[in-house]
């Protein structure tokens, strides 16, 4: 009875509450596509370099190698995929064709492929085996198809080679199910006196878009993701997810400021094109027996993780199979140890669920309060009011606690914002700085000499718009 008599008041109340509801922060362009977001969430991808070079002990084949040398006696792509999975990798990318032109699948457009080799009596398809094994472990698949081809006679006769290349690309894009990344290399070593091939990039990119619309395209110039500008697995600092006009407009383009544009991105850039950091677990991209004792250490790999994934990038780590067709046991062991160490480092988030305060909370709405950065949910975030581009978030750990690592994240689906931040801890009533940085983006990781503190602040010093922080996590460190 009471309910009915008060219905109008109830409606009024509801309307009033809706008017008072705090508006969510407006997205800040440019924004990532869902595919780019998925790509970045994968964090680590395994690269597999394998071709005739594995049998000639070279890094770049000449294109004159006889397919008869390609004979991996124990090839087992399942062993690669299991090792990748044990290392926590979410995707694998295979060199379907490297610069020597030898195809790991039986392409209809050349005989320079596995079908002319003794491997599986010429009936094998390594791309097929790779794709099946990778999917079997629940990992995503990517393929590398070198534009530079030192074997193909039409190379340098631009229209003819472009047609040949598009045919090969079409085979890969149509015969192996959904691909998550297509990798275009910018290398072309023919030099000024060699054959000058002008690639038809618009047609190449249109073909990928038509046949694999969900695949992210990697190249110096994207358009899905950009090369980070070096082959040492290290992203720039700052590292923006977007690029501006100084970034390359086609793969292999060089010019002033381009390396810098790839390393750092551009906070004023209008295109979302985050950086992928590629590096090999050994000195070479291909297997060389003399490098069996030069496999990167766990410390080194973890350092690369901090400098790539921990700088708003993705780590693409290459592991080359031996001439038997297997990952070397040292590399397999190292991948598992790498993951174990990461799991140890990030097992215990000391800040999770702890009490928190902030300089300001958007509209005073708890939804945007500091606790949202400590709940382990990357979708919820602490936010300030529009126009407020500075502020701090304070965690009370409840007791003096040893801290050696900090992790910060922005919900980049709403755009990348933070330009500069620092970390303070309270020491006898005084706030002392123990770390500082520039961009945050998808994930920022700071390692520092361990401190012992109860109260810690993430201070945002500058941002492109109201900062949003989805994660502020603290770990004991080593
Ligand atoms: C480079 C190539 O020339 C190397 O052989 C390797 O494939 C690396 C990932 O990209 O540009």
């Amino acid at each position: 009875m009471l309910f009915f008599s008060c219905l109008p008041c109830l409606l009024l109340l509801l309307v009033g509450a809706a008017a008072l509801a705090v508006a969510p922060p407006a997205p800040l362009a440019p924004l990532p596509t869902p595919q780019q977001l998925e790509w970045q969430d994968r964090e680590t991808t395994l690269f597999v370099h394998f071709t005739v070079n594995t049998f000639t002990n070279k890094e770049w084949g000449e294109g004159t190698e006889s397919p008869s040398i390609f004979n991996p006696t124990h090839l087992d792509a399942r062993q690669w995929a299991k090792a990748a999975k044990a290392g926590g990798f979410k995707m694998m990318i295979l060199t379907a064709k490297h610069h020597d032109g030898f195809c790991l699948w039986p392409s209809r457009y050349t005989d320079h492929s596995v079908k002319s080799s003794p491997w599986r009596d010429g009936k094998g398809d390594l791309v097929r085996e790779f794709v099946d094994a990778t999917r079997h472990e629940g990992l995503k698949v990517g393929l590398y198809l070198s534009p530079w081809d030192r074997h193909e006679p039409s190379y340098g006769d631009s229209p003819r080679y472009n047609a040949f290349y598009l045919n090969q690309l079409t085979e890969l894009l149509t015969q192996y199910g959904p691909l998550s990344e297509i990798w275009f290399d910018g290398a072309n070593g023919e030099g000024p006196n060699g054959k000058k091939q002008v690639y038809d990039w618009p047609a190449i990119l249109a073909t990928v878009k038509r046949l694999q619309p969900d695949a992210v395209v990697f190249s110096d110039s994207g358009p899905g993701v950009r090369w980070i500008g070096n082959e040492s697995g290290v992203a720039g600092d700052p590292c923006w997810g977007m690029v501006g006009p100084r970034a390359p407009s086609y793969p292999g383009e060089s010019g002033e400021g381009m390396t810098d544009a790839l390393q750092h991105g551009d906070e004023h850039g209008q295109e979302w094109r985050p950086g992928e950091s590629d590096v090999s677990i050994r000195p070479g991209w291909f297997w060389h027996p003399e490098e069996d004792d030069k496999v990167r250490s766990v410390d080194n790999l973890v350092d690369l993780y901090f400098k790539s994934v921990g700088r708003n990038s993705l780590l693409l780590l290459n592991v080359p199979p031996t001439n038997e067709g297997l990952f070397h046991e040292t590399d397999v062991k190292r991948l598992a140890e790498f993951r174990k160490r990461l799991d140890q480092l990030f097992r215990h988030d000391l800040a999770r669920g702890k009490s928190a305060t902030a300089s300001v909370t958007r509209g005073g709405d708890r939804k945007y309060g500091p606790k949202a950065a400590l709940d382990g949910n990357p979708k919820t975030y602490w936010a300030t009011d529009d126009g407020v581009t500075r502020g701090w978030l304070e965690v009370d750990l409840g007791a003096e606690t040893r801290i050696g690592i900090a992790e910060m994240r922005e919900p980049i689906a709403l755009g990348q914002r933070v330009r500069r931040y620092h970390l303070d801890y309270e020491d006898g009533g005084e706030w002392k700085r123990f770390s500082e940085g520039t961009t945050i983006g998808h994930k920022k990781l700071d390692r520092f000499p361990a401190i012992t503190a109860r109260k810690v602040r993430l201070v945002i010093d500058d941002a492109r718009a109201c900062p949003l922080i989805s994660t502020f996590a603290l770990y004991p460190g080593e």
Side-chain angles (χ1 to χ4, degrees):
M1 192 57 201
L2 189 67
F3 173 73
F4 282 114
S5 66
C6 285
L7 194 58
C9 331
L10 189 67
L11 282 175
L12 261 179
L13 256 174
L14 284 176
V15 171
L20 282 177
V22 176
L28 183 67
L31 301 176
T33 63
Q35 291 80 4
Q36 286 170 321
L37 280 175
E38 265 183 42
W39 166 89
Q40 194 137 18
D41 277 339
R42 284 196 279 272
E43 289 200 353
T44 53
T45 292
L46 206 87
F47 215 177
V48 181
H49 271 65
F50 194 52
T51 182
V52 287
N53 297 348
T54 311
F55 302 86
T56 57
N57 207 15
K58 284 191 177 155
E59 277 291 302
W60 279 3
E62 313 285 332
T64 50
E65 296 79 10
S66 165
S68 65
I69 62 171
F70 186 83
N71 194 15
T73 45
H74 293 87
L75 190 135
D76 184 4
R78 290 168 307 181
Q79 187 246 13
W80 312 351
K82 284 203 180 88
K85 174 102 180 241
F89 292 78
K90 301 280 167 39
M91 177 155 98
M92 293 218 283
I93 301 179
L94 173 69
T95 54
K97 177 179 90 167
H98 202 253
H99 311 329
D100 51 78
F102 183 78
C103 299
L104 299 185
W105 81 103
S107 171
R108 279 190 294 280
Y109 302 96
T110 179
D111 288 331
H112 200 57
S113 80
V114 282
K115 74 182 170 208
S116 308
S117 81
W119 178 68
R120 307 249 191 278
D121 291 326
K123 297 191 179 65
D125 179 345
L126 185 38
V127 173
R128 177 89 266 154
E129 292 188 22
F130 169 80
V131 164
D132 290 348
T134 305
R135 293 210 179 103
H136 187 76
E137 292 300 327
L139 312 181
K140 301 279 185 196
V141 177
L143 293 175
Y144 167 124
L145 182 68
S146 169
W148 185 26
D149 187 325
R150 306 182 86 179
H151 175 82
E152 171 52 31
S154 67
Y155 190 85
D157 177 349
S158 294
R160 267 181 64 220
Y161 179 75
N162 283 333
F164 169 85
Y165 187 77
L166 286 175
N167 281 333
Q168 289 199 324
L169 182 62
T170 301
E171 287 183 318
L172 293 179
L173 299 178
T174 54
Q175 293 174 187
Y176 300 98
L179 304 174
S180 299
E181 186 165 338
I182 312 293
W183 223 87
F184 294 117
D185 189 273
N188 186 338
E190 296 303 350
N193 304 321
K195 298 174 175 180
K196 179 94 183 99
Q197 170 70 35
V198 182
Y199 302 114
D200 188 353
W201 285 113
I204 293 169
L205 298 178
T207 303
V208 178
K209 200 164 189 177
R210 181 165 51 85
L211 299 174
Q212 293 275 352
D214 288 335
V216 164
V217 172
F218 168 100
S219 83
D220 300 5
S221 57
V225 297
R226 72 179 194 264
W227 181 44
I228 205 64
N230 63 54
E231 292 184 336
S232 39
V234 174
D237 181 10
C239 185
W240 294 96
M242 50 278 201
V243 293
R246 286 189 317 140
S249 50
Y250 61 87
E253 184 184 11
S254 57
E256 191 149 344
M258 263 177 206
T259 304
D260 188 67
L262 289 166
Q263 273 273 289
H264 300 291
D266 183 343
E267 67 164 292
H268 304 293
Q270 289 306 304
E271 243 181 275
W272 190 270
R273 194 190 294 167
E276 183 165 297
S277 305
D278 60 326
V279 67
S280 187
I281 199 165
R282 290 158 172 254
W285 291 101
F286 289 91
W287 175 73
H288 307 290
E290 66 274 19
E291 293 179 356
D292 282 348
D293 59 357
K294 296 200 171 66
V295 179
R296 287 176 185 275
S297 66
V298 176
D299 283 345
N300 184 283
L301 292 173
V302 169
D303 190 52
L304 290 181
Y305 179 86
F306 273 81
K307 290 178 175 154
S308 55
V309 176
R311 286 188 189 165
N312 189 35
S313 179
L314 176 143
L315 178 62
L316 176 61
L317 180 69
N318 178 65
V319 178
T322 66
N323 59 355
E324 287 196 311
L326 295 169
F327 284 178
H328 190 277
E329 57 181 348
T330 305
D331 307 43
V332 171
K333 214 170 126 238
R334 209 49 52 80
L335 292 177
E337 290 166 350
F338 168 57
R339 182 51 50 181
K340 194 168 156 215
R341 179 78 68 82
L342 288 182
D343 287 349
Q344 276 166 359
L345 287 178
F346 297 107
R347 186 179 321 137
H348 186 202
D349 173 6
L350 304 160
R352 177 73 61 87
K354 290 285 156 62
S355 61
T357 48
S359 56
V360 54
T361 284
R362 187 175 183 81
D365 186 340
R366 280 186 57 183
K367 179 177 173 195
Y368 300 111
K371 291 279 281 183
L374 312 181
D375 63 3
N377 179 355
K379 296 235 162 80
T380 60
Y381 49 85
W382 166 58
T384 65
D385 291 307
D386 288 344
V388 178
T389 52
R390 305 165 67 99
W392 51 259
L393 182 172
E394 181 179 320
V395 187
D396 182 350
L397 299 171
E400 293 287 314
T401 309
R402 182 194 147 97
I403 305 160
I405 294 173
E407 172 186 336
M408 282 71 62
R409 301 184 63 166
E410 292 180 74
I412 53 168
L414 296 169
Q416 191 180 344
R417 295 157 186 251
V418 176
R419 285 195 184 104
R420 219 156 30 81
Y421 69 89
H422 70 270
L423 300 172
D424 280 347
Y425 71 101
E426 197 196 40
D427 182 18
E430 238 185 277
W431 288 100
K432 293 192 173 154
R433 184 176 294 209
F434 64 96
S435 189
E436 60 192 4
T438 57
T439 48
I440 292 179
H442 179 262
K443 184 178 273 191
K444 180 71 203 300
L445 296 172
D446 285 2
R447 266 203 290 195
F448 36 81
I451 54 156
T452 301
R454 176 176 165 170
K455 291 185 177 171
V456 176
R457 275 184 184 178
L458 163 61
V459 184
I460 306 297
D461 296 306
D462 193 14
R464 290 171 63 227
C466 64
L468 316 176
I469 300 296
S470 53
T471 300
F472 181 42
L474 300 168
Y475 305 93
E478 281 165 294

